[in-house]
Amino acid sequence: MRFFAIATALVSVVVAEKFTVIVAENGGLTYTPPSVTAKVGDTIAFQFQAGNHTVTQSTFANPCTPMTTPAVGIDSGFLPVAAGATQFPEWSFTIDNASAPLWFFCNRPPHCSRGMVFALNPTPERTYDAFLVRIGHILNRSSS
Ligand SMILES: *[C@@H]1O[C@H](CO)[C@@H](O)[C@H](O)[C@H]1NC(C)=O
Ligand SMILES: *[C@@H]1O[C@H](CO)[C@@H](O)[C@H](O)[C@H]1NC(C)=O
Ligand SMILES: *[C@@H]1O[C@H](CO)[C@@H](O)[C@H](O)[C@H]1NC(C)=O
């Protein structure tokens, strides 16, 4: 009996993981990696390594714009990093719904239009690449 109780307890343990995403690695307009697939309870930590950037939530439909509906999105705010810094600011959150893809961008124009975007748990219907294409559509629409 005791053996079975212990075995059952072990099977139900799901270890939460921490994913680190580098913001502006080598000064680039990038999140590295640009897309992460993670589960409920996992933490996504953004480590800002250069410049003065944000990690700001948008919707899939409106990239490069802070999300306001159905709720105000999450936002790191600007986290500047001095040249030559050896300690980097970090901003993180924990996933509470892995079925909901979340979309992010740097809210310093024109970084988003240059592709500084991040996808958490993209789906086969809404992929990271589809999000990049959407940015192209939005830019084309607003410049015409
Ligand atoms: C970072 O950018 C924000 C928004 O433009 C600005 O208010 C802030 O002063 C900047 N910080 C530094 C250290 O440049
Ligand atoms: C999780 O997200 C999905 C997709 O947006 C949604 O359908 C579902 O209701 C959400 N679940 C919870 C518990 O909020
Ligand atoms: C945006 O416009 C350019 C130039 O007309 C075109 O080559 C490109 O395919 C368009 N991008 C999208 C996503 O529509």
Side-chain angles (χ1 to χ4, degrees):
M1 283 300 257
R2 185 156 175 226
F3 169 80
F4 288 114
I6 291 171
T8 306
L10 285 178
V11 166
S12 63
V13 168
V14 178
V15 179
E17 292 171 273
K18 176 180 171 180
F19 293 85
T20 299
V21 178
I22 307 300
V23 180
E25 188 172 39
N26 300 318
L29 299 181
T30 50
Y31 300 104
T32 310
S35 174
V36 165
T37 296
K39 64 185 183 304
V40 170
D42 288 350
T43 299
I44 310 295
F46 293 87
Q47 187 184 88
F48 292 68
Q49 290 196 348
N52 186 9
H53 301 284
T54 77
V55 178
T56 303
Q57 189 179 6
S58 73
T59 59
F60 179 83
N62 278 310
C64 307
T65 303
M67 178 170 115
T68 53
T69 57
V72 173
I74 54 177
D75 193 341
S76 69
F78 284 92
L79 290 179
V81 181
T86 53
Q87 290 200 318
F88 304 119
E90 213 171 270
W91 176 77
S92 65
F93 62 88
T94 301
I95 298 173
D96 59 12
N97 184 351
S99 318
L102 303 184
W103 309 94
F104 296 91
F105 70 104
C106 176
N107 199 13
R108 173 181 288 282
H111 294 181
C112 180
S113 63
R114 292 195 186 156
M116 193 169 182
V117 292
F118 175 81
L120 178 62
N121 291 330
T123 64
E125 296 76 32
R126 296 188 161 190
T127 62
Y128 176 78
D129 285 347
F131 190 55
L132 286 179
V133 168
R134 228 18 264 115
I135 293 172
H137 283 305
I138 301 264
L139 289 177
N140 279 6
R141 199 172 56 203
S142 56
S143 63
S144 61

